[in-house]
């Protein structure tokens, strides 16, 4: 059997089942985006990695090295933020074609440093090698106090499901990357959505507020798409979920971009991925305080998009009062 | 200017100079193989990464997935061992062609787990993506008690320079990888040297003994070759070094392999790289005790190969009583 038939998550499950020594100081290991490691202090050590590979994850014609550096750091920070953690140190593993211009690398590091500094973390080391394609593999360490950690597994029945910011913009931006236009409104939309796609801003301040209030029950970042990432919460929490399509925060620009490219905006929001928003669950009576605190301090809207239900009910999306199955699928890195 | 003109270490220096926020909890950052991070406890946190990329660092026809898994882990452990550290957790960042057989991945993880278990560390997480070539980027965390840390920077004038095991075998094994032969003696040599090259055993027990005695002044692992890695010690310690060619431990198999492939065994030992032995310096009066302790407990020989001198004298190798300049060069990952 080939890995493409098994798929990314199938392969991860297979690897997980095969490893016999998971390490008894691990709170979360293989299968989660972030490893959570017990230490001698009252903080857990967090470790995650995420790669940007030329022609697979980006094309040089559509992203500047400065943007690419920012993006590589941002998507890693997003994973740490989704646990309530604080990023601390990066290692940068770089694969470079020999003919790469030194100036390109200068710009790449400037972008990485900007995104790292903004998060309070520093670049601590790494590794450089020759490679036929440009490759940036970021390893990020972080920390979180024991009582502030939020994982995927705590969602309770009747909890509401909330999301920061708006959905579908990452995928809409990707669809507009190589479109040429002279229409002024379309140019403004394209500019906005491309920026959202190319240089997502991780929701670190928002996650800090959510964490501090200690009322959220489960949390994840939206890298693979709402359906896929909500699927992780449901599986880990052994629950089901209902999403209300009409309540999904989809911007006017995303809707116009979807129309322009003959695509369903709802599909972008549910399955598009790369939004790097925070998806979380909380008891109903806590929701108003959570929304208010995040928006008051950061300006970022927080929207109720659904409800946690029993695992027997599975995952559904309600469109015009009719339930449809919500497939826990999104971006498969091996498909 | 292209990165190939600047070279690996030139590029690292450039990156280091450009970063304005090195992080005030870093003992060592960019430029060292391992980041050393201050924590609240009496231990430093260590973090390193090293990549194996198909067609650049290995070819599938010459290494089994099980060996490749062992090797990827081993070269990272070697970096942690060279600081007196203990490896604790791995993250595995994997890039896979979609047509890779699942069985290949199973074997790869078995090899990784074997090498990890042997070192006492566990696989804590990672990341999988599609890639045109097989890519294994290992991120390794470790720890070391404050008073046991040995860096590259403590070598003192008149210290002797020692090395575990024997030199040139990694490069000799590489040269024999694709040779066919029916000669029995040559087959035995080839088997031995290929194994040394494909699945090096990191010198973790040896480094623990060296560290425990607290007399070594500087330490590094031999990944790029003695000349290059000794160069790192000399630069960090602001010293020079003399290497005595006649005293370099070069095995009979390495000498025969060198003769077979028309190569100078001394060149393999000085510049070949990939030996994953430990190179360290110690005051002369401590050397006998160090050698005896390591060999008695592990069976691994420890050989005096040279002496630390003033930085004004530079780096030399003495061959038949004549000094020759020792170029701090070896494997350049961007050349």
């Amino acid at each position: 059997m080939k890995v493409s038939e098994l798929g990314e998550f199938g392969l991860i499950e297979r690897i997980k089942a095969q490893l016999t020594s998971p390490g008894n100081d691990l709170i979360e290991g293989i299968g989660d985006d972030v490893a959570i490691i017990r230490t001698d202090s009252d903080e857990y050590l967090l470790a995650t990695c995420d790669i940007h590979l030329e022609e697979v994850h980006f094309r040089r014609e559509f992203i500047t090295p400065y943007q690419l550096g920012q993006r590589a750091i941002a998507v890693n920070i997003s994973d740490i933020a989704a646990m309530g953690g604080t990023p601390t140190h990066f290692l940068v593993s770089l694969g470079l074609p020999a003919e790469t211009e030194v100036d390109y690398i200068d710009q790449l590091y400037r972008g990485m440093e900007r995104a790292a500094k903004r998060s309070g973390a520093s670049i601590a080391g790494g590794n450089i090698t020759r490679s036929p394609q440009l490759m940036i593999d970021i390893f990020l360490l972080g920390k979180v106090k024991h009582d502030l950690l939020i994982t995927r597994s705590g969602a309770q029945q009747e909890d509401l499901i909330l999301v920061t910011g708006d959905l579908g913009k990452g995928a809409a931006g990707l669809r507009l990357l190589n479109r040429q236009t002279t229409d002024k409104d379309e140019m403004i939309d394209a500019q906005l959505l491309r920026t959202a796609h190319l240089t997502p801003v991780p929701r670190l301040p928002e996650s800090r507020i959510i964490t501090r209030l200690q009322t959220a029950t489960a949390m994840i970042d939206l890298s693979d798409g709402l359906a896929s990432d909500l699927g992780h919460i449901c599986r880990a929490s052994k629950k089901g979920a209902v999403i209300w399509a009409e309540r999904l925060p989809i911007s006017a620009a995303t809707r116009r971009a979807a129309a322009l490219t003959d695509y369903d905006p709802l599909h972008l929001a549910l399955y598009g991925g790369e939004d790097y928003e925070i998806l979380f669950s909380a008891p109903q009576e806590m929701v108003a305080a959570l929304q208010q605190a995040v928006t008051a301090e950061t300006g970022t809207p927080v929207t109720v998009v659904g409800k946690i239900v029993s695992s027997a009910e599975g995952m559904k999306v309600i469109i015009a009062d009719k339930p449809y199955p919500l497939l826990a699928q999104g971006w498969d890195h091996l498909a």
Side-chain angles (χ1 to χ4, degrees), chain A residues 51-297:
Chain A
I51 193 168
H52 275 74
L53 185 59
E54 187 171 3
E55 299 300 321
V56 177
H57 304 100
F58 69 92
R59 286 168 66 183
R60 285 201 223 188
E61 57 192 298
F62 294 134
I63 189 163
T64 69
Y66 185 76
Q67 289 174 322
L68 182 60
Q70 285 186 288
R71 186 175 214 282
I73 295 289
V75 304
N76 279 280
I77 291 177
S78 185
D79 278 323
I80 296 286
M83 299 208 139
T86 300
T88 57
H89 299 90
F90 295 93
L91 295 195
V92 181
S93 193
L94 211 57
L96 298 178
E99 67 273 19
T100 310
E101 291 289 334
V102 171
D103 181 61
Y104 190 96
I105 306 304
D106 287 350
Q107 295 297 327
L108 183 71
Y109 271 84
R110 266 179 215 135
M112 288 196 283
E113 203 192 14
R114 188 188 171 206
K117 255 187 177 167
R118 190 194 268 189
S119 78
S122 61
I123 301 178
N127 179 273
I128 297 178
T129 191
R130 187 163 49 85
S131 163
Q133 286 154 303
L134 186 60
M135 184 211 86
I136 305 152
D137 199 6
I138 300 282
F139 293 108
L140 175 55
L141 293 174
K143 58 183 182 179
V144 62
K145 290 231 184 275
H146 289 178
D147 53 0
L148 295 184
L149 175 74
I150 308 180
T151 66
R152 303 169 176 186
S153 62
Q156 301 296 320
Q157 224 167 303
E158 298 298 316
D159 279 357
L160 292 179
I161 300 167
L162 297 97
V163 65
T164 60
D166 66 295
L167 300 177
K169 60 187 179 300
L174 182 61
R175 296 182 68 81
L176 293 185
L177 272 189
N178 56 357
R179 264 182 81 92
Q180 302 292 335
T181 180
T182 53
D183 181 272
K184 208 177 147 198
D185 289 340
E186 195 184 329
M187 281 169 74
I188 292 169
D189 284 355
Q191 169 78 8
L192 182 80
L193 295 170
R194 281 175 194 157
T195 302
H197 173 79
L198 295 176
T199 53
V201 176
R203 297 300 196 184
L204 196 56
E206 292 79 0
S207 83
R208 281 193 180 135
I209 297 162
I210 297 165
T211 308
R212 196 181 63 210
L213 295 176
Q214 294 188 282
T215 53
T217 52
M219 194 151 80
I220 196 167
D221 76 316
L222 290 177
S223 52
D224 294 334
L226 187 141
S228 177
D229 291 316
L230 179 60
H232 290 307
I233 284 185
C234 286
R235 261 193 308 282
S237 300
K238 297 189 176 60
K239 296 289 179 298
V242 171
I243 293 292
W244 303 310
E246 281 81 3
R247 298 182 67 167
L248 291 175
I250 303 174
S251 74
T254 296
R255 289 183 192 279
R256 284 191 297 259
L260 265 177
T261 60
D262 282 325
Y263 218 77
D264 179 4
L266 181 61
H267 197 276
L268 293 181
L270 291 176
Y271 301 109
E274 311 218 20
D275 277 325
Y276 299 102
E277 296 293 348
I278 299 282
L279 180 75
F280 62 106
S281 59
Q284 304 202 12
E285 64 276 20
M286 305 300 183
V287 162
L290 272 163
Q291 288 176 303
Q292 208 200 327
V294 172
T295 308
E297 279 190 50

